Amino acid sequence: MRKEIFKYLRSYTFAPKEINRLIVSSFLHAKKIKKVRNSYLNKLIIQEGDDDHDKLLEFVKIQTVDSFEQLIELFEFVISPEEKIVNGAVYTPEYIREYIVRKSFESHAQEISDLQICDPACGCAGFLYTTAQILREETQSSYKEIFKNQLFGLDTEEYSVERSKLLLLLLAISEGEDLKVYDFNLYKGNALDFNWRTQDESFEGFDIVVGNPPYVCSRNMVKESLDLVKNWSVSQSGHPDLYIPFFQLGYEILKPKGILGYITVNTFIKSVNGRSLRNYFSSNRVDIKIINFGGEQIFKNRSTYTCICFLQNSIGSVRYKKALSADLNKLRDNQFIRFDYDSLADNDGWNLVESVDQTKYINKIESVGTPLKNRFVTRNGIATLANYIYKFFPVSEDENYYTLRTKEGKDYPIEKDICRDIANPNKLRSEKQLKENTEKIIFPYESMKNELIVLDENTFINKYPLTYKYLSDHKVVLRRRDKGNKKYEKWYAYGRRQSMDINAYKLFFPHISERPSFTISKDKALLFYSGIAIVSESLKELKVLKRIMESDVFFDYIKNMTKDYSSGYISMSKNYIKNFGICKLSKFEENELLESDNPELLIRNYYGLDSTNMLYTNPQSVLSKVAESNIGYR
């Protein structure tokens, strides 16, 4: 049905006013509401005889808008895809909104009728709609009073502010309260630099802040937001997503003891760009409760890994629980694991797990030997930003040339001397697969004084004319990389310079998998894309490491440390493995490990784990399984 609606609207219009007329009129039509007193709504109602009345009849045949959830989703849905990328708008399911609002009310000591509630990125007012419903139910106040005295919203887009008013008006009218005029506290503005005192000089903060902050990565932000994000202390590490400063701005407009409730991305718990935010929480000893949904996908048609966060403007600690969204209303306070800020590492990422046993296990493993980050170099693959142009499987070859065939079926001869071998660790399970899956990649660089430099254009033309001709045929696409905003050394240079100069043995593994597999490359010159590699000058060192990382000891560690993805997949990002303790082994022990038919037993012994049956079966920690069999740590 979504495709049919979008197809219809594309042929009709994306103009906000016309879209609003269509949606509002279809809702009133479905509710059989023919007369409305409110002057704001009246001007949008399509009447018989209007030029767009036939369009309304066509639309109601495609979609019956007879519920408020359909209305909210439709208001969000008709924002164009381009604008969704820029403003991060996404429909929040009703049960999530209701849980956040009700829990925020329960956590506040003040009378509910006296509370002022704000959504600083309100979109089309889904959260404010839910809040208004609950306030009416609990206080019996009129919607006129609730809209005027208790609800506050802000959004960067005028059409969102307009739709917010329409949604709240339709709520009031559908429940029999149809007044000619209502007063709203809904404003157009950017929350990153909005001053609430310009609207009310006596402003001292809100009792509750709720919402779904926008999800926009730095590369998709408009320049205004990019510039404003830099003004917030929580945005000083990595490439901050737009949701990150919304924690600080939301927290800082709370009154003392005020409550903030967000559903938002869960990456700040571990990510580099969340480091400053973690430090902000820690420095202020913010009382925060996190419900992590792990790999569960909450939003339709959006691959986003989320959590619910409740912050109280008071001194406290971090309380954590991993749960499915279906179990939200079953959660009790005593199920949350409490972490003092002094026990958390702001710089490396918070190790938030579901039990004390898991915490002990992680601490045990990290205390052994040397952290991986201090022992080995971990690298990500090359980044051409146009792999499908540079890399290929030759369909044929002769003494001097490979034949590259494009997806359109056109063949190009490519000089062999400008090509390098390249592999994708995400596709590897063995050294045999490494050989079978090795591709070729055009490598327009040369070594000069131990430094890789991009080929001079005249040199390129003279030495590799056929490859130059092939890339020239794709020059337009190559120049569009990074949205055409980056100035490259040469138009045919790679998008990034990372990992082009590795001359070492490599231990390959995928970035995301159910259970990672590890493959060693003995070809020091082999390039790779996607996936991850640990590099070393010692082949034996990598073979020993491979055995350790293939063990249940490592898997149970990474399963508790990593970011969850859907379908049980986990991330092996270097940020999650960097603190894994690499046990110190003698040469005898190294040989013993490499030659053993039962390396698991040896590895558990090296790490001081006494169990004889600690195979991984579920996300419980090794320590939990040890406890079940009455076997403990040494």
Side-chain angles (χ1 to χ4, degrees):
M1 183 62 74
R2 280 171 159 261
K3 289 182 179 178
E4 291 182 41
I5 295 172
F6 194 73
K7 184 178 178 181
Y8 178 81
L9 293 175
R10 186 191 295 275
S11 66
Y12 179 48
T13 180
F14 275 118
K17 183 176 179 180
E18 282 71 18
I19 290 290
N20 291 346
R21 275 174 62 82
L22 194 65
I23 294 174
V24 167
S25 298
S26 63
F27 180 81
L28 294 173
H29 179 272
K31 292 292 187 182
K32 296 182 170 51
I33 299 175
K34 296 182 178 180
K35 291 185 178 181
V36 172
R37 290 185 60 210
N38 184 261
S39 56
Y40 200 80
L41 274 180
N42 252 322
K43 62 185 179 182
L44 291 175
I45 298 175
I46 298 174
Q47 308 285 357
E48 286 189 41
D50 287 350
D51 293 341
D52 48 2
H53 188 259
D54 288 343
K55 293 294 183 182
L56 171 62
L57 297 180
E58 289 177 9
F59 184 70
V60 296
K61 288 180 181 178
I62 297 173
Q63 175 70 65
T64 300
V65 187
D66 59 0
S67 76
F68 276 97
E69 290 311 302
Q70 287 179 310
L71 184 63
I72 295 168
E73 192 169 4
L74 197 52
F75 271 153
E76 296 286 2
F77 174 64
V78 296
I79 298 172
S80 71
E82 292 79 10
E83 287 176 322
K84 281 195 174 186
I85 290 174
V86 171
N87 66 30
V90 63
Y91 166 75
T92 307
E94 179 182 21
Y95 71 98
I96 296 289
R97 302 195 314 264
E98 183 168 354
Y99 179 81
I100 290 175
V101 173
R102 288 193 183 278
K103 287 297 177 182
S104 297
F105 284 155
E106 288 174 14
S107 301
H108 208 290
Q110 201 170 330
E111 283 292 326
I112 190 172
S113 59
D114 297 329
L115 299 178
Q116 291 188 321
I117 303 96
C118 174
D119 183 347
C122 66
C124 298
F127 271 91
L128 297 179
Y129 159 84
T130 299
T131 305
Q133 274 191 313
I134 295 172
L135 286 171
R136 174 69 175 263
E137 171 191 320
E138 297 290 334
T139 67
Q140 304 304 308
S141 297
S142 68
Y143 281 118
K144 179 179 177 64
E145 294 171 314
I146 291 169
F147 298 161
K148 181 178 181 179
N149 300 319
Q150 295 193 261
L151 299 187
F152 297 79
L154 178 68
D155 198 89
T156 57
E157 302 298 333
E158 186 64 51
Y159 61 74
S160 291
V161 176
E162 175 87 1
R163 288 170 182 168
S164 295
K165 293 177 182 177
L166 295 176
L167 179 66
L168 295 176
L169 286 171
L170 290 171
L171 170 62
I173 288 167
S174 69
E175 295 190 15
E177 185 182 316
D178 183 8
L179 303 179
K180 193 170 184 179
V181 177
Y182 286 86
D183 295 318
F184 294 100
N185 304 297
L186 300 171
Y187 306 104
K188 178 183 181 298
N190 193 320
L192 296 173
D193 70 345
F194 191 81
N195 185 350
W196 287 95
R197 285 192 175 84
T198 60
Q199 309 303 322
D200 181 0
E201 292 182 0
S202 64
F203 176 76
E204 295 181 353
F206 295 108
D207 301 291
I208 291 176
V209 171
V210 292
N212 181 353
Y215 309 153
V216 186
C217 63
S218 57
R219 68 176 177 272
N220 288 328
M221 284 188 213
V222 296
K223 187 178 185 304
E224 178 191 11
S225 292
L226 271 174
D227 293 340
L228 291 174
V229 159
K230 298 173 185 176
N231 296 331
W232 295 88
S233 65
V234 296
S235 304
Q236 303 306 308
S237 56
H239 300 285
D241 291 330
L242 188 54
Y243 81 91
I244 286 177
F246 272 80
F247 272 110
Q248 184 177 355
L249 71 86
Y251 185 72
E252 292 181 358
I253 57 173
L254 284 176
K255 292 178 182 177
K257 306 294 184 182
I259 305 292
L260 178 149
Y262 282 164
I263 179 166
T264 190
V265 181
N266 63 19
T267 53
F268 74 89
I269 296 171
K270 292 277 189 179
S271 65
V272 173
N273 69 6
R275 184 179 295 158
S276 294
L277 176 59
R278 293 190 296 271
N279 182 258
Y280 176 84
F281 288 147
S282 179
S283 299
N284 291 284
R285 292 295 193 265
V286 175
D287 188 352
I288 179 170
K289 180 189 285 187
I290 301 171
I291 303 169
N292 190 355
F293 295 124
E296 183 184 0
Q297 298 293 289
I298 300 297
F299 301 116
K300 292 181 182 178
N301 305 312
R302 187 92 177 224
S303 181
T304 308
Y305 300 93
T306 55
C307 64
I308 288 176
C309 294
F310 292 104
L311 281 60
Q312 184 163 28
N313 190 2
S314 60
I315 302 300
S317 57
V318 178
R319 287 166 290 160
Y320 177 84
K321 175 64 180 172
K322 194 171 181 179
L324 294 174
S325 62
D327 296 329
L328 278 175
N329 290 313
K330 301 175 186 176
L331 294 180
R332 299 294 178 264
D333 283 343
N334 61 7
Q335 294 176 288
F336 287 77
I337 303 299
R338 181 177 172 276
F339 297 86
D340 290 323
Y341 281 105
D342 291 340
S343 71
L344 299 174
D346 298 335
N347 194 62
D348 286 344
W350 289 349
N351 293 341
L352 303 179
V353 290
E354 298 178 78
S355 72
V356 174
D357 284 351
Q358 288 171 305
T359 300
K360 288 180 179 178
Y361 178 72
I362 289 170
N363 292 339
K364 172 71 176 178
I365 298 301
E366 292 185 349
S367 69
V368 172
T370 306
L372 187 145
K373 64 182 178 183
N374 295 339
R375 180 89 176 267
F376 294 98
V377 174
T378 305
R379 303 286 289 270
N380 294 313
I382 66 165
T384 69
L385 303 190
N387 280 351
Y388 71 98
I389 291 176
Y390 289 96
K391 69 178 185 65
F392 62 101
F393 281 107
V395 294
S396 64
E397 65 177 286
D398 58 27
E399 185 177 352
N400 298 309
Y401 302 99
Y402 296 118
T403 300
L404 180 158
R405 179 168 293 163
T406 67
K407 61 182 179 180
E408 293 80 20
K410 184 174 182 180
D411 288 351
Y412 286 89
I414 303 294
E415 289 88 355
K416 282 187 171 181
D417 288 346
I418 199 174
C419 294
R420 294 271 299 272
D421 288 341
I422 191 166
N424 180 357
N426 287 332
K427 296 181 178 180
L428 303 179
R429 296 294 181 272
S430 66
E431 289 188 34
K432 181 182 177 183
Q433 283 190 335
L434 174 58
K435 186 176 181 180
E436 294 171 348
N437 287 279
T438 297
E439 303 170 76
K440 304 297 178 183
I441 189 165
I442 295 168
F443 194 74
Y445 294 87
E446 61 182 345
S447 181
M448 187 173 292
K449 297 180 180 180
N450 295 319
E451 182 182 354
L452 280 176
I453 62 170
V454 67
L455 287 171
D456 175 76
E457 195 149 3
N458 288 329
T459 302
F460 197 166
I461 293 170
N462 291 329
K463 290 185 70 174
Y464 312 107
L466 299 179
T467 303
Y468 184 84
K469 168 67 170 61
Y470 163 71
L471 290 181
S472 295
D473 286 352
H474 296 83
K475 184 185 291 189
V476 173
V477 176
L478 293 176
R479 282 181 166 164
R480 286 176 182 163
R481 290 175 293 172
D482 278 311
K483 298 183 178 180
N485 296 325
K486 182 177 177 180
K487 187 175 182 181
Y488 291 95
E489 302 169 81
K490 302 289 183 181
W491 60 266
Y492 45 80
Y494 288 177
R496 307 280 186 271
R497 271 193 159 266
Q498 66 190 43
S499 301
M500 292 174 11
D501 56 350
I502 302 173
N503 186 33
Y505 300 115
K506 304 167 191 74
L507 177 64
F508 289 136
F509 49 95
H511 180 258
I512 299 171
S513 64
E514 289 182 280
R515 176 157 183 157
S517 56
F518 302 85
T519 306
I520 289 178
S521 169
K522 298 174 184 176
D523 180 358
K524 287 187 173 184
L526 181 67
L527 295 173
F528 70 101
Y529 67 97
S530 301
I532 306 174
I534 293 175
V535 301
S536 174
E537 292 295 326
S538 169
L539 191 58
K540 183 179 180 181
E541 186 177 54
L542 289 185
K543 288 180 178 179
V544 171
L545 180 63
K546 179 176 185 286
R547 282 246 154 162
I548 293 172
M549 295 183 77
E550 286 175 337
S551 71
D552 289 323
V553 171
F554 175 79
F555 188 50
D556 280 325
Y557 172 84
I558 191 63
K559 189 71 176 174
N560 284 311
M561 289 293 295
T562 189
K563 173 183 176 181
D564 294 305
Y565 287 84
S566 57
S567 303
Y569 280 66
I570 60 172
S571 171
M572 285 285 291
S573 167
K574 61 184 179 181
N575 196 44
Y576 303 134
I577 66 175
K578 64 185 178 183
N579 290 319
F580 178 78
I582 305 298
C583 53
K584 185 176 181 180
L585 302 178
S586 66
K587 289 185 178 180
F588 172 82
E589 288 171 323
E590 288 180 346
N591 293 332
E592 179 185 42
L593 179 61
L594 293 176
E595 295 168 5
S596 174
D597 293 328
N598 187 6
E600 285 290 343
L601 190 60
L602 288 173
I603 292 168
R604 290 197 292 269
N605 185 52
Y606 299 151
Y607 282 85
L609 307 171
D610 273 3
S611 175
T612 57
N613 61 345
M614 287 165 48
L615 294 177
Y616 190 89
T617 56
N618 58 54
Q620 296 299 315
S621 71
V622 170
L623 182 57
S624 296
K625 284 171 263 178
V626 171
E628 289 170 8
S629 58
N630 295 316
I631 299 172
Y633 290 119
R634 291 189 203 175

